[in-house]
Amino acid sequence: MKLSYVTTYDSSDIHAWSGCVVGILKTLQNSGFQTEQIDNLKERCIFMLKIKKAYYAKILSKTYLCDRDPFLLKNYAAQVDSALEHLNGDVVFSPGTIPIAYLQTRKPIVFWTDASFAGMIDFYPDFSNLCAETIKNGNKMEQLALSKCRLAIYSSEWAANTAIQNYDVDPAKVKVVPLGGNANENRNLHQINTIIKNKDFDTCRLLFVGVDWSRKGGDLAIKVAELLTKRGIKTELHIVGCKPPYKVPNYVKLYPFLSKNTEEGRNTMDKLMSGSHFFILPSKAECYGSVFGEASSFGLPSLATKVGGIPSAIKDGKNGQTFSLDEGPEKYCDYIERLMSSKQDYNELALSSFSEYTKRMSWASSGKKVYELIKEFCF
């Protein structure tokens, strides 16, 4: 079976969509599919669309999304249709709906993504205060993609439900398969046991990774570290990828963006994942969070909010704990303090986190599910 892998991104860019563009492609290949890439789609007349975006922002105080404009989408589709004429893939596969909504192909279409357009409205800051034109365009694009596709795969129950609830789509062709993490998948149970055994409990080490400080809940992460310290628990909070907009206490350690393209970046992240006791990301909005799978691959329990697709990534008591958006640092600290006071309970949760990863959160396990779904729905 051969798939035509369609994306607006560079399909070899490990940073595109937090590594998922490359991750999905490699997963398809490792699962037994042959692939041919149609990527790096050209943005036609993007300058004119940016002028339109500026007009909406300055004159009407509204947000216009260029990547939902029908002119741009139809041009993407034309590029893909032209490429497909010279290729012999059996199925068109995309890590998103943008490049496939206006396709004219008769080949089966499959996409695997983390959100529907309707689910994003007023959820992420970039999708807030949208103008009526963008909402109309975005919903039309999403409906077209869902109507044309043979199979719609989402990374969470939240994303799948927003598609079913907001669009005319047969629920039978909407499936949920988690996205894997952007990490080395070669660790085994023996290595995880060694990682857990090497952790000392004199200092509680929390790890926060994210670029968007506000949306990812950075302030709350610092408050958790602060309260733990006040409770007499020696704590370190390691922050990767962003810088708080204020001076931080000395128990907060800052790291720049760590590129997985460099050995230094990979090694530093591996050490942080291995040496931390909890991964903390109290996001205000999150479609899924592949980084939770990455944390679980190190046997590192995650602490986050019950929002968006996070409850599909973190199963309470199995690979961490989720908290409601209105809960403050006290609940997080109570949970952390209980586990830090019982090494046996912590170790059991750490091993369970790795088990969750191997069973349902790795690219390998997800690839098997996607392979079977494509066979069922497209052949």
Side-chain angles (χ1 to χ4, degrees):
M1 292 183 285
K2 181 177 284 189
L3 306 184
S4 298
Y5 189 71
V6 177
T7 175
T8 58
Y9 297 106
D10 177 351
S11 59
S12 65
D13 182 1
I14 196 171
H15 299 302
W17 187 25
S18 301
C20 287
V21 172
V22 171
I24 290 175
L25 177 58
K26 288 184 177 179
T27 296
L28 295 172
Q29 293 168 340
N30 292 338
S31 299
F33 291 109
Q34 292 181 300
T35 62
E36 52 193 19
Q37 284 78 269
I38 304 174
D39 60 356
N40 275 325
L41 301 181
K42 294 180 174 58
E43 296 180 327
R44 307 293 188 189
C45 295
I46 191 66
F47 178 71
M48 297 300 296
L49 295 180
K50 287 182 177 179
I51 291 177
K52 191 173 186 177
K53 179 182 177 74
Y55 166 79
Y56 267 105
K58 293 181 180 180
I59 305 301
L60 302 178
S61 299
K62 289 286 185 178
T63 299
Y64 183 83
L65 299 180
C66 297
D67 62 2
R68 263 65 179 186
D69 186 279
F71 180 85
L72 181 66
L73 296 172
K74 289 176 182 178
N75 194 271
Y76 280 155
Q79 294 176 58
V80 176
D81 283 326
S82 178
L84 287 173
E85 291 179 3
H86 307 286
L87 299 173
N88 58 355
D90 302 300
V91 175
V92 176
F93 188 104
S94 178
T97 54
I98 285 177
I100 51 94
Y102 285 87
L103 282 187
Q104 300 299 315
T105 183
R106 293 183 179 181
K107 294 180 180 181
I109 297 173
V110 177
F111 67 81
W112 186 9
T113 191
D114 64 351
S116 72
F117 178 75
M120 292 298 290
I121 297 175
D122 293 327
F123 188 50
Y124 273 34
D126 289 347
F127 286 77
S128 298
N129 194 36
L130 297 179
C131 65
E133 184 178 359
T134 282
I135 293 175
K136 179 182 177 181
N137 290 341
N139 280 324
K140 181 179 180 180
M141 178 211 78
E142 202 76 2
Q143 182 62 67
L144 283 170
L146 285 164
S147 297
K148 289 182 177 183
C149 76
R150 192 75 62 86
L151 177 63
I153 307 173
Y154 292 97
S155 60
S156 70
E157 297 289 346
W158 165 79
N161 288 336
T162 62
I164 293 170
Q165 292 166 5
N166 290 281
Y167 300 103
D168 181 15
V169 57
D170 180 1
K173 71 176 184 180
V174 178
K175 302 297 179 181
V176 176
V177 179
L179 292 165
N182 190 11
N184 186 330
E185 291 196 333
N186 293 329
R187 281 172 295 281
N188 55 40
L189 184 57
H190 174 73
Q191 291 170 313
I192 296 301
N193 275 311
T194 300
I195 288 173
I196 296 171
K197 183 180 178 180
N198 288 340
K199 292 185 183 183
D200 71 78
F201 282 69
D202 295 331
T203 300
C204 176
R205 295 180 177 85
L206 308 176
L207 176 60
F208 175 99
V209 179
V211 176
D212 190 333
W213 175 256
S214 177
R215 180 173 65 80
K216 298 287 186 177
D219 289 338
L220 182 53
I222 285 186
K223 288 178 182 177
V224 169
E226 180 182 17
L227 182 55
L228 286 172
T229 302
K230 288 181 179 178
R231 290 186 180 187
I233 301 172
K234 187 178 179 182
T235 302
E236 293 177 359
L237 172 61
H238 298 262
I239 297 174
V240 178
C242 59
K243 187 177 181 181
Y246 45 79
K247 186 177 179 180
V248 296
N250 58 10
Y251 52 78
V252 176
K253 314 298 180 183
L254 302 178
Y255 301 79
F257 175 79
L258 297 177
S259 174
K260 299 292 181 65
N261 271 335
T262 67
E263 184 176 359
E264 181 182 6
R266 291 190 298 271
N267 288 341
T268 301
M269 183 59 78
D270 285 358
K271 288 179 182 178
L272 289 170
M273 287 280 184
S274 298
S276 298
H277 295 89
F278 297 94
F279 180 77
I280 183 168
L281 200 71
S283 297
K284 299 172 185 176
E286 198 74 55
C287 291
Y288 177 70
S290 295
V291 69
F292 298 121
E294 185 172 347
S296 291
S297 77
F298 284 87
L300 178 62
S302 295
L303 309 176
T305 42
K306 284 186 176 75
V307 66
I310 291 178
S312 288
I314 302 174
K315 300 299 181 183
D316 290 347
K318 293 185 176 180
N319 63 329
Q321 188 71 24
T322 56
F323 303 85
S324 64
L325 272 173
D326 58 358
E327 284 181 322
E330 294 81 11
K331 293 286 187 179
Y332 289 81
C333 291
D334 290 345
Y335 185 81
I336 292 169
E337 189 172 2
R338 178 177 67 80
L339 285 165
M340 290 298 291
S341 66
S342 173
K343 194 169 184 179
Q344 180 179 343
D345 288 347
Y346 177 86
N347 289 354
E348 288 178 359
L349 179 61
L351 288 172
S352 176
S353 297
F354 181 68
S355 176
E356 286 295 296
Y357 170 75
T358 57
K359 287 189 298 185
R360 64 176 184 85
M361 303 181 77
S362 69
W363 283 120
S365 62
S366 293
K368 292 177 182 177
K369 295 173 185 174
V370 170
Y371 181 86
E372 293 301 324
L373 286 171
I374 292 176
K375 278 180 58 181
E376 178 184 352
F377 282 83
C378 300
F379 294 96

